[in-house]
């Protein structure tokens, strides 16, 4: 069936360094790609998203890139801070609203 | 605070029982999504409703059903519960249909004993 792969599953970086998380999707009907941050005991929170007609989007320290041909999209966090520590999920959503999440990446930022 | 509310926060029940989880979307949002999150399965999309109508279905078991009422709140019904149904159940809402920003509620933790 359709799926979303996400790598790495865990990521540990020093404060101030960059973190990159990569996702690959299989359903070519996917046209919307959000990224969520989930802190312990809370629901996922949307941090950035990108649509299929855009290649890159930035919001302060966070950026997302999309390569539709290769079906890859990535999250880039620069100048990481301890409060960035959380589980990050990518998702691929089709034009008919089917939602598939990646398995998640646990990011630890070491002070 | 996302503006999405879910009740109850915690639920403990026995195998074979039936439970109902409730979700109130953000004011003005017409779409409601239900997700199951377990340790070994990650976040699984169950079902979406838009303005009272079923819009999209994911990996929802036949023992599970949902509906969205005229006031736009939604309920997820889980029946003939099994140990493997123990998980966090999240509701999310968005303003419209395709590709809308989803706001997640705090979740309901279901434990089946």
């Amino acid at each position: 069936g359709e799926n979303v792969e996400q790598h790495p599953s865990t990521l540990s970086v020093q404060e101030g360094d960059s973190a990159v998380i990569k996702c690959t999707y299989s359903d070519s009907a996917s046209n919307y790609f959000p990224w969520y941050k989930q802190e312990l005991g809370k629901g996922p929170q949307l941090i950035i998203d990108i649509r299929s007609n855009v290649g890159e989007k930035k919001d302060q320290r966070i950026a997302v890139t999309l390569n539709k041909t290769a079906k890859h999209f990535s999250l880039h966090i620069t100048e990481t801070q301890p409060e960035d520590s959380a589980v990050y999920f990518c998702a691929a959503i089709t034009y008919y609203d089917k939602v598939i999440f990646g398995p998640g990446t646990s990011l630890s930022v070491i002070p | 605070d996302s503006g999405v509310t879910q009740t109850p926060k915690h639920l403990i029940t026995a195998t074979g029982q039936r439970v109902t989880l409730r979700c109130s979307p953000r004011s003005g949002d017409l779409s409601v999504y239900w997700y199951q999150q377990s340790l070994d399965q990650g976040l699984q999309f169950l079902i979406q409703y838009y303005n009272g109508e079923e819009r999209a279905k994911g990996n929802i078991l036949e023992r599970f059903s949902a509906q969205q009422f005229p006031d736009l709140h939604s309920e997820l019904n889980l029946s003939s519960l099994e140990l493997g149904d123990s998980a966090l159940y999240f509701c999310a809402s968005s303003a419209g249909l395709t590709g809308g920003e989803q706001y997640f509620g705090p979740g309901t933790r279901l434990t089946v004993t």
Side-chain angles (χ1 to χ4, degrees), chain B residues 22 49 51-52 66-77:
Chain B
R22 183 187 168 105
Y49 277 81
N51 203 21
Q67 53 185 325
Q68 186 179 27
F69 295 87
D71 67 353
L72 300 176
H73 90 271
S74 179
E75 292 180 357
L76 179 67
N77 301 295

Side-chain angles (χ1 to χ4, degrees), chain B residues 8-83:
Chain B
K9 197 167 182 180
H10 300 278
L11 199 47
I12 301 174
T13 190
T15 53
Q17 294 299 303
R18 173 190 168 94
V19 296
T20 297
L21 312 184
R22 183 187 168 105
C23 168
S24 292
R26 288 189 327 149
S27 176
D29 283 358
L30 298 178
S31 275
V32 169
Y33 303 77
W34 285 98
Y35 296 90
Q36 180 192 58
Q37 185 175 40
S38 55
L39 280 173
D40 58 344
Q41 292 288 321
L43 265 167
Q44 298 287 317
F45 167 60
L46 297 178
I47 197 164
Q48 179 206 1
Y49 277 81
Y50 175 77
N51 203 21
E53 301 283 331
E54 183 184 301
R55 164 70 178 169
K57 239 176 180 175
N59 302 321
I60 189 165
L61 300 172
E62 284 191 15
R63 301 183 285 109
F64 297 0
S65 65
Q67 53 185 325
Q68 186 179 27
F69 295 87
D71 67 353
L72 300 176
H73 90 271
S74 179
E75 292 180 357
L76 179 67
N77 301 295
L78 315 176
S79 61
S80 302
L81 284 168
E82 302 174 359
L83 294 177

Side-chain angles (χ1 to χ4, degrees), chain A residues 2-35:
Chain A
E2 307 295 353
N3 73 325
V4 173
E5 295 181 359
Q6 183 173 346
H7 299 281
S9 56
T10 59
L11 181 58
S12 189
V13 299
Q14 290 291 134
E15 183 177 356
D17 287 351
S18 295
V20 179
I21 302 170
K22 298 183 179 183
C23 287
T24 303
Y25 63 97
S26 59
D27 193 338
S28 55
S30 301
N31 65 353
Y32 175 61
F33 307 92
W35 284 89

Side-chain angles (χ1 to χ4, degrees), chain A residues 38 44 46 51 95 97 99, chain B residues 37 48 55 98-99 101 104:
Chain A
Q38 187 175 23
L46 180 73
R51 299 185 188 276
Y95 64 86
D97 277 337
V99 183
Chain B
Q37 185 175 40
Q48 179 206 1
R55 164 70 178 169
T98 309
E101 185 171 325
F104 279 75

